Amino acid sequence: MSELRFVHMGFGADAVEYQEAWDEQRRVHAARFADEVPDTVLLLEHPPVYTAGRRTEDSERPLDGTPVIDVDRGGKITWHGPGQLVGYPIQKLPRPVDVVAHVRRLEEALIRTCTEFGVETTRVEGRSGVWVLGDPVEQRLALGGLSLDFDPRLHDDEFDPRLNGPEYAPSNAGQRREDRKIAAIGIRVAKGVTMHGFSFNVNPDNRWFDRIIPCGIRDAGVASLANELGREITIEEVLPVVRRHLTDILENAEPKPRVIEKTSA
């Protein structure tokens, strides 16, 4: 891989509006495709905003009509905002692009970052992103006095956790000792060049996630580095660590084209 270029678009009071960042992604994407710039990672914070990937269902959106920006990445609905480090790696990869391998590299960089700060994280089969694992189901606290065997989120198709207060809120998954996502990943690949990327919850107000079904997942929640550590931590502290691990993994990777299995006639 070529040397990575990092661009800090704005943090804190200089947080970048989502549409502005999306326009910049497209500009850099076109330049990278034309080999006018090297592989580039845009790093920033957004003001509060909900964005919905192509697979988002109406039943996962805010109930109160809060605006949602529909975007061209994979995945479902999520939230971006203060206290969340967002990264958009724009890389040229060999075609046909191995999207899963690209996602795994981003996950690995964030897993290593969490480890460096003392938080154990992992991947969950079938669910992209970086996760803090909860207790085994049989060891978790019962919800509403009921056995977890009767968790309505899993067994009642009409149950909506958005309408049932803090007991089922995604932001309280840590208190319930459930699996909780600390970093989400959603990407798009066009002309062999990646777009979009990751959002890493450093110290956001995770209650923003309670108004949606984050990533369309009803039986898990969200986490943050600050909550897992039980102390304040800032994006300024985390930023150089994320950069270092992204550099180590992405610069040293040797991406290969996706293997296409041939079917016999």
Side-chain angles (χ1 to χ4, degrees):
M1 294 287 293
S2 62
E3 182 177 349
L4 276 182
R5 176 179 69 137
F6 288 92
V7 176
H8 291 192
M9 288 192 66
F11 302 94
D14 298 319
V16 184
E17 292 290 342
Y18 190 86
Q19 188 64 54
E20 179 185 346
W22 196 6
D23 290 343
E24 180 64 6
Q25 281 195 74
R26 288 186 282 228
R27 187 192 70 79
V28 176
H29 181 278
R32 182 66 191 97
F33 176 71
D35 290 325
E36 296 171 352
V37 298
D39 289 339
T40 300
V41 182
L42 307 178
L43 294 168
L44 61 144
E45 270 181 287
H46 286 303
V49 61
Y50 293 102
T51 70
R54 293 186 299 262
R55 296 191 299 110
T56 301
E57 299 178 12
D58 289 343
S59 62
E60 296 159 355
R61 296 170 181 263
L63 290 170
D64 58 4
T66 298
V68 176
I69 297 178
D70 289 282
V71 296
D72 57 356
R73 61 167 169 79
K76 295 199 172 192
I77 192 168
T78 192
W79 171 85
H80 301 304
Q84 185 186 77
L85 175 60
V86 174
Y88 298 130
I90 301 172
Q91 299 178 267
K92 180 177 280 191
L93 299 175
R95 298 196 231 181
V97 171
D98 189 336
V99 175
V100 173
H102 176 63
V103 169
R104 294 293 174 263
R105 287 190 289 269
L106 299 183
E107 290 171 344
E108 184 61 28
L110 297 173
I111 287 171
R112 292 185 188 184
T113 298
C114 290
T115 298
E116 189 160 329
F117 282 100
V119 175
E120 183 178 353
T121 58
T122 188
R123 298 177 178 89
V124 171
E125 183 71 26
R127 294 179 170 179
S128 67
V130 177
W131 292 80
V132 178
L133 291 185
D135 293 339
V137 171
E138 62 273 11
Q139 296 178 18
R140 296 180 197 167
L141 296 174
L143 296 170
L146 297 174
S147 164
L148 283 170
D149 291 340
F150 298 99
D151 186 342
R153 295 173 300 172
L154 300 178
H155 302 289
D156 183 349
D157 292 338
E158 296 184 359
F159 181 83
D160 194 331
R162 296 170 298 176
L163 297 173
N164 285 271
E167 188 173 40
Y168 293 95
S171 62
N172 288 331
Q175 297 178 32
R176 297 191 298 267
R177 305 303 304 163
E178 293 177 344
D179 294 352
R180 47 211 184 269
K181 185 182 287 191
I182 198 168
I185 295 176
I187 67 168
R188 177 174 185 248
V189 180
K191 300 179 179 179
V193 180
T194 68
M195 288 181 66
H196 300 286
F198 65 84
S199 54
F200 182 29
N201 295 333
V202 177
N203 62 350
D205 181 350
N206 276 344
R207 289 175 296 181
W208 284 94
F209 289 100
D210 295 345
R211 301 167 73 177
I212 60 174
I213 308 296
C215 302
I217 299 173
R218 296 176 181 272
D219 61 331
V222 291
S224 71
L225 202 57
N227 285 344
E228 295 301 320
L229 291 172
R231 66 175 177 85
E232 285 298 314
I233 188 167
T234 65
I235 284 183
E236 185 179 25
E237 293 176 70
V238 174
L239 186 57
V241 181
V242 170
R243 281 189 52 157
R244 175 158 42 82
H245 288 299
L246 283 171
T247 299
D248 182 50
I249 290 172
L250 299 184
E251 283 192 351
N252 294 320
E254 296 182 6
K256 296 179 173 58
R258 175 170 48 88
V259 176
I260 300 177
E261 296 183 2
K262 295 181 179 180
T263 58
S264 56

